Amino acid sequence: MDIPEPLRFLITAGPTREPIDPVRFISNRSSGKMGYALASAAAAAGHSVVLVSGPVAIPVPVDPNIRLVGVETTREMYAAVEARLGEVDVAIMAAAVADWRPVSVRPHKVKKSQQGDWVLHLRKTEDILGSAREPMGFHGLLVGFAAETENLEAYARDKMQRKRCDLMVANDVSQPGIGFDADENEVMVLQADGGIERLPRAAKTVVARELVRIIEGLSRQRRRTQAS
Ligand code: PMT
């Protein structure tokens, strides 16, 4: 039997939050379930995991192979990833990073009595996945997620190429019961060499196990190519 070599994983999970004032923020519906399931599946297969997580309401998997790094904002997630990418073989970006943040954060709670309509000026946040190769200098196996509502394969393939990923896991987040804050997912796994594998709708724990199996296979294939 082919026993997989232990790999070092970094997995991002959950949403990030961008404050507007001390009590309000911009975020999204990510529950962290997909990223946490991946962390559990990788750890159960004997790999070590750094789990960089935004604020979520689900329990942290209890496993000695999992180290949690809790963050709140996109800047914090970027810094946590950048500091640790050099120590891992595989990076999976399953987090739903807030794409915009308010240009300025109000220092005090904005009172309804002082504010009528409120127009927020938003600016793009850092692209963590898109920075993994350059400027972060990551040479390991890079796995992105693509949350799409149309043209799933074409948009995901474009994202994979632009962000220089080895694998892109595409989920159609317009489908009820899968994607954001659901217990199940159904994904298309695109490989940079053109390969494609469809994982049917199943519990996120099951999808996560399959993804870890695919990543182990790709990593073994890489090591063989590098050794020959
Ligand atoms: O957390 P759950 O409720 O279980 O839901 C799971 C999920 C739907 C969040 C997950 O399966 C998923 O699709 N995660 C990616 C969500 C997303 O933000 O997709 P995107 O297509 O906008 O981003 C593409 C990739 O770039 C992702 O790997 C994302 O982590 C990364 N990204 C995006 C923006 C940004 N500023 N920095 C990033 O690193």
Side-chain angles (χ1 to χ4, degrees), residues 141 211-222 224:
L141 224 146
L211 289 173
V212 169
R213 173 189 63 75
I214 292 170
I215 289 165
E216 286 170 346
L218 196 56
S219 165
R220 265 200 303 273
Q221 198 180 308
R222 277 234 172 140
R224 274 198 295 268

Side-chain angles (χ1 to χ4, degrees), residues 27-201:
S27 192
N28 60 67
R29 294 179 187 281
S30 170
S31 63
K33 288 176 191 171
M34 191 67 248
Y36 279 43
L38 280 162
S40 294
H47 307 297
S48 66
V49 181
V50 177
L51 177 59
V52 180
S53 176
V56 297
I58 58 173
V60 181
V62 182
D63 190 305
N65 284 339
I66 299 178
R67 190 153 48 94
L68 178 76
V69 179
V71 298
E72 182 158 342
T73 63
T74 303
R75 274 200 190 99
E76 288 170 7
M77 185 172 276
Y78 186 101
V81 168
E82 187 177 34
R84 290 162 183 87
L85 265 189
E87 303 158 8
V88 301
D89 308 298
V90 180
I92 310 178
M93 308 298 191
V97 181
D99 290 311
W100 288 274
R101 71 164 67 88
V103 165
S104 60
V105 180
R106 304 278 278 262
H108 298 289
K109 183 184 172 195
V110 174
K111 307 282 286 171
K112 273 195 290 183
S113 53
Q114 294 164 351
Q115 181 88 44
D117 288 352
W118 186 359
V119 179
L120 288 175
H121 183 176
L122 304 178
R123 186 158 295 151
K124 280 217 178 107
T125 55
E126 299 77 9
D127 184 343
I128 302 169
L129 177 62
S131 307
R133 297 291 188 211
E134 283 298 326
M136 292 186 195
F138 181 58
H139 298 298
L141 224 146
L142 186 59
V143 183
F145 267 73
E148 309 292 350
T149 56
E150 56 179 344
N151 300 330
L152 187 61
E153 183 176 344
Y155 285 171
R157 206 167 275 290
D158 174 61
K159 246 173 218 175
M160 175 165 63
Q161 281 159 2
R162 279 190 291 111
K163 301 189 185 208
R164 299 172 61 196
C165 298
D166 299 291
L167 285 179
M168 186 57 79
V169 183
N171 38 201
D172 182 344
V173 293
S174 68
Q175 294 298 315
I178 63 168
F180 282 86
D181 200 16
D183 291 330
E184 295 185 329
N185 214 352
E186 177 181 331
V187 302
M188 196 185 273
V189 188
L190 306 175
Q191 293 209 14
D193 67 4
I196 184 166
E197 193 164 339
R198 287 184 169 78
L199 302 183
R201 183 172 175 150

